[in-house]
Amino acid sequence: MKLAVLWVGKTRDRRLGALAAEYAERIERYCRLELRELRDAARDAAAEPRERAEREGRRLMKAIRPGEHLIALDERGDALGSEEFAAFLGAALEGHPAGVAMVIGGPYGLSEGLRRKSKRLISLSKMTFTHETARLIALEQIYRAFTILRGGRYHH
């Protein structure tokens, strides 16, 4: 099973970065994980937020490998409980030999084109998080999903 998590921009907060690395290490016990960190759109004062999201969306689309099943984490997506997410992720990973690519946008979110190309949109919460915090929450939920699927103790 192969899972790639793609995001835009560096994690500037070292504490969040360390926690994300810890969850990534835990996830690697269950599947082949690849974190793909892409450069964010140039901080052009003239660029509108929508244009920045579009530029970043094009970069994300280029980073998705042929055959990868695209899932986007987006505020407009379906809100799933942890057990629902676990079942969905398990089925997606088993059903796609090329792997799953899960994308997280930058501060201005995801482009419309990327949303349309995604096989599923999933929301982490009705609340708003910084994109750096969303990365950590996504990795924690992925780890939780694997423990649920394997009947592990982390979930309860």
Side-chain angles (χ1 to χ4, degrees):
M1 290 188 293
K2 301 175 205 170
L3 174 63
V5 181
L6 294 78
W7 60 64
V8 173
K10 295 192 178 294
T11 304
R12 289 175 172 74
D13 186 322
R14 288 189 305 248
R15 296 165 299 178
L16 290 176
L19 287 169
E22 180 180 327
Y23 280 108
E25 188 176 311
R26 291 181 186 190
I27 293 166
E28 288 174 338
R29 296 177 199 158
Y30 298 106
C31 76
R32 232 171 74 209
L33 176 68
E34 182 181 357
L35 300 179
R36 298 181 201 156
E37 186 177 271
L38 285 80
R39 186 173 54 87
D40 57 357
R43 296 193 185 276
D44 179 358
E48 293 290 320
R50 182 179 294 159
E51 176 55 31
R52 286 190 62 185
E54 290 300 323
R55 287 184 206 167
E56 291 168 353
R58 287 189 293 272
R59 280 195 195 112
L60 285 163
M61 288 304 296
K62 286 180 184 176
I64 296 164
R65 297 195 178 122
E68 285 183 324
H69 184 73
L70 179 58
I71 299 167
L73 297 181
D74 184 78
E75 62 189 4
R76 299 178 222 172
D78 299 323
L80 304 177
S82 294
E83 291 181 358
E84 291 171 287
F85 177 67
F88 166 75
L89 183 61
L93 287 166
E94 295 215 2
H96 297 90
V100 170
M102 188 175 293
V103 297
I104 304 169
Y108 298 107
L110 297 172
S111 69
E112 283 303 317
L114 196 134
R115 278 188 195 100
R116 281 192 303 272
K117 294 214 180 216
S118 296
K119 303 302 182 198
R120 180 117 187 230
L121 297 176
I122 296 176
S123 172
L124 292 175
S125 172
K126 290 183 179 185
M127 295 181 187
T128 302
F129 302 113
T130 66
H131 59 289
E132 290 184 359
T133 304
R135 298 170 192 170
L136 174 60
I137 292 169
L139 291 171
E140 189 278 338
Q141 285 298 303
I142 292 166
Y143 174 67
R144 182 180 297 271
F146 279 115
T147 64
I148 290 168
L149 292 170
R150 302 297 193 278
R153 299 173 129 207
Y154 181 75
H155 182 59
H156 296 285

